[in-house]
Amino acid sequence: MSEILATYLVETTHPTEALKALCRGQSVGNPTILTPYETKAFLDQWAARGLWRQQGGAYVMTVRFPQGNFGTEGLNYLLSVLLGGQCDVDLIQGCRLMHLDLGRHRRHLGTPRFGTAGLRRLLGVQGRALVGGILKPKIGLSPLQVADVVKQMADGGCDVIKEDEILADQYWCPMTQRLPLVKKALEGYQILYLACVTGDGSEAWVKARCALRAGAGGVHLNIWAGLGTYLDVWRHISAPMHFQKSGDKVWTQGAFSLDARVLYQLAHVAGCDLAHVGMYGGYLAESVGELQERITALETTLPSFSCGMTPPRGAEIIRRFGEDVLLLSGGWVHGQPQGVTWACQQLRKVADASRQAVPV
């Protein structure tokens, strides 16, 4: 039987008992008590199994879950197994999901419809980094003001324009009013406009369909929509989808969490075409190593950099990671005295120069 292989870093003083509790509790039943149904044949078919080894003051536990346990379920169910009941076991003081091999279960999940190559074809851009602008202020603009700001970014040479993750469908700027104005402002430009459709369950894909009908070119969801919601939206639309990680440290840091590499692996199989991986420099300064690990986990999903993007930082990102990146700027672009269009032009110059850039 095919298996899903999960590797954890576990804090415990009783590794054998902790591993048993994790395997049993996340597959067949109670971590410590057998029921009459749990015969050897039953356990051979349904129980997870694992091994542990010590690593410093913690333990690496490799657990094999029978793939049949998961049926055809999606990401929310998957995570309820992989990072669920073991967090309630007293003898486990910490449990981080460090690595995940989905095996055959991957066929029940998604894959980017566009990804890096498809987005380049859609935008008609080859041989250079992509440039993006983030709508600012985050909230408070009227539909007419949104369209005005979008036109300024378009005039500056942006390839992608993204709404901020906290712009929703508020009464003072509803999607049905702002997006037709945005569409009109972008006539004649080959630009991907990503509307924010973060919502609860089916609300997200209903909003996504509404946004596309109203004039958006793609959609944008924040991580708090839930990974399963991305997959649900992916199943209902055929437009580019962006993964915004704001809030991800609640998921990826702490004793009970998952490694960022796993998060970006899941963003890929949720069908995301673009994903915010973080920032090199800026006010979210992360290391080359951890950013490269996230990019690798994304496979064909286009990595997006933001949180303090400026032209010099964009040039350094291209030098470090190559031209298959999206340079997204919000605050810097909107805060320049020379204006939004001028600022976007400066970022675009960096991208145009990347045609000759070679990653180190």
Side-chain angles (χ1 to χ4, degrees), residues 214-291:
V219 298
H220 156 227
L221 291 87
N222 191 50
I223 188 173
W224 286 111
L227 290 170
T229 301
Y230 285 94
L231 192 58
D232 201 24
V233 171
W234 175 82
R235 288 172 174 146
H236 282 87
I237 69 169
S238 298
M241 180 168 59
H242 179 271
F243 173 85
Q244 177 67 29
K245 78 181 194 72
S246 299
D248 65 309
K249 289 179 181 178
V250 178
W251 295 51
T252 61
Q253 295 188 10
F256 294 95
S257 57
L258 51 78
D259 190 88
R261 292 169 296 180
V262 177
L263 177 63
Y264 286 98
Q265 176 188 1
L266 295 176
H268 176 83
V269 297
C272 296
D273 301 287
L274 314 87
H276 178 207
V277 293
M279 186 60 186
Y280 183 70
Y283 62 84
L284 176 62
E286 297 170 305
S287 73
V288 171
E290 60 188 330
L291 288 167

Side-chain angles (χ1 to χ4, degrees), residues 117-134:
L119 289 168
R120 286 192 175 281
R121 288 192 295 270
L122 180 69
L123 295 169
V125 177
Q126 302 295 335
R128 65 164 172 84
L130 298 175
V131 173
I134 305 170

Side-chain angles (χ1 to χ4, degrees), residues 47-329:
R49 285 177 168 76
L51 298 169
W52 65 262
R53 61 180 174 84
Q54 190 165 7
Q55 180 175 295
Y59 298 87
V60 175
M61 297 189 178
T62 303
V63 179
R64 297 180 180 275
F65 295 92
Q67 192 267 327
N69 290 12
F70 297 87
T72 60
E73 298 291 341
L75 291 172
N76 288 348
Y77 176 82
L78 179 76
L79 285 171
S80 74
V81 175
L82 298 179
L83 274 174
Q86 70 265 45
C87 301
D88 302 325
V89 177
D90 283 344
L91 57 83
I92 297 177
Q93 288 82 51
C95 185
R96 273 180 57 81
L97 178 59
M98 303 300 294
H99 182 268
L100 179 62
D101 184 345
L102 292 166
R104 293 182 185 175
H105 192 69
R106 185 163 176 162
R107 63 187 173 182
H108 300 303
L109 304 174
T111 190
R113 287 197 172 90
F114 295 83
T116 300
L119 289 168
R120 286 192 175 281
R121 288 192 295 270
L122 180 69
L123 295 169
V125 177
Q126 302 295 335
R128 65 164 172 84
L130 298 175
V131 173
I134 305 170
L135 187 64
K136 302 289 182 181
K138 294 184 176 184
I139 59 173
L141 296 178
S142 70
L144 282 171
Q145 289 171 326
V146 168
D148 177 58
V149 173
V150 166
K151 179 65 164 59
Q152 292 178 56
M153 289 191 281
D155 287 341
C158 285
D159 304 298
V160 177
I161 298 175
K162 183 183 79 70
E163 295 180 347
D164 198 88
E165 67 271 7
I166 64 171
L167 179 62
D169 198 22
Q170 291 97 335
Y171 70 91
W172 36 262
C173 193
M175 289 193 303
T176 53
Q177 291 184 25
R178 72 177 184 260
L179 293 178
L181 294 174
V182 166
K183 182 178 180 180
K184 184 176 180 180
L186 293 179
E187 287 178 357
Y189 298 92
Q190 199 165 0
I191 291 175
L192 175 62
Y193 185 86
L194 300 169
C196 180
V197 298
T198 300
D200 299 336
S202 62
E203 177 191 6
W205 66 257
V206 170
K207 288 170 69 175
R209 284 182 169 179
C210 175
L212 296 174
R213 287 195 300 266
V219 298
H220 156 227
L221 291 87
N222 191 50
I223 188 173
W224 286 111
L227 290 170
T229 301
Y230 285 94
L231 192 58
D232 201 24
V233 171
W234 175 82
R235 288 172 174 146
H236 282 87
I237 69 169
S238 298
M241 180 168 59
H242 179 271
F243 173 85
Q244 177 67 29
K245 78 181 194 72
S246 299
D248 65 309
K249 289 179 181 178
V250 178
W251 295 51
T252 61
Q253 295 188 10
F256 294 95
S257 57
L258 51 78
D259 190 88
R261 292 169 296 180
V262 177
L263 177 63
Y264 286 98
Q265 176 188 1
L266 295 176
H268 176 83
V269 297
C272 296
D273 301 287
L274 314 87
H276 178 207
V277 293
M279 186 60 186
Y280 183 70
Y283 62 84
L284 176 62
E286 297 170 305
S287 73
V288 171
E290 60 188 330
L291 288 167
Q292 186 58 61
E293 286 178 342
R294 297 171 191 179
I295 293 171
T296 300
L298 282 175
E299 299 184 43
T300 60
T301 300
L302 177 68
S304 166
F305 288 80
S306 64
C307 292
M309 178 65 68
T310 64
R313 288 170 185 153
E316 182 64 14
I317 286 168
I318 294 167
R319 190 177 78 85
R320 295 282 185 176
F321 303 101
E323 67 184 22
D324 282 334
V325 296
L326 171 62
L327 308 178
L328 262 177
S329 183

Side-chain angles (χ1 to χ4, degrees), residues 17-35 38-39 42-43 46-50 63 65 69 86 89:
E17 292 83 351
L19 177 62
K20 182 178 179 181
L22 195 167
C23 292
R24 288 182 47 78
Q26 294 311 107
S27 59
V28 291
N30 187 283
T32 57
I33 300 172
L34 283 171
T35 71
E38 293 173 68
T39 62
F42 182 94
L43 295 175
W46 302 112
R49 285 177 168 76
V63 179
F65 295 92
N69 290 12
Q86 70 265 45
V89 177

Side-chain angles (χ1 to χ4, degrees), residues 156 311 329 332-336 338-348:
S329 183
W332 184 85
V333 159
H334 296 280
Q336 299 309 300
Q338 298 93 330
V340 171
T341 297
W342 178 89
C344 291
Q345 289 171 342
Q346 307 317 300
L347 202 58
R348 176 61 183 268

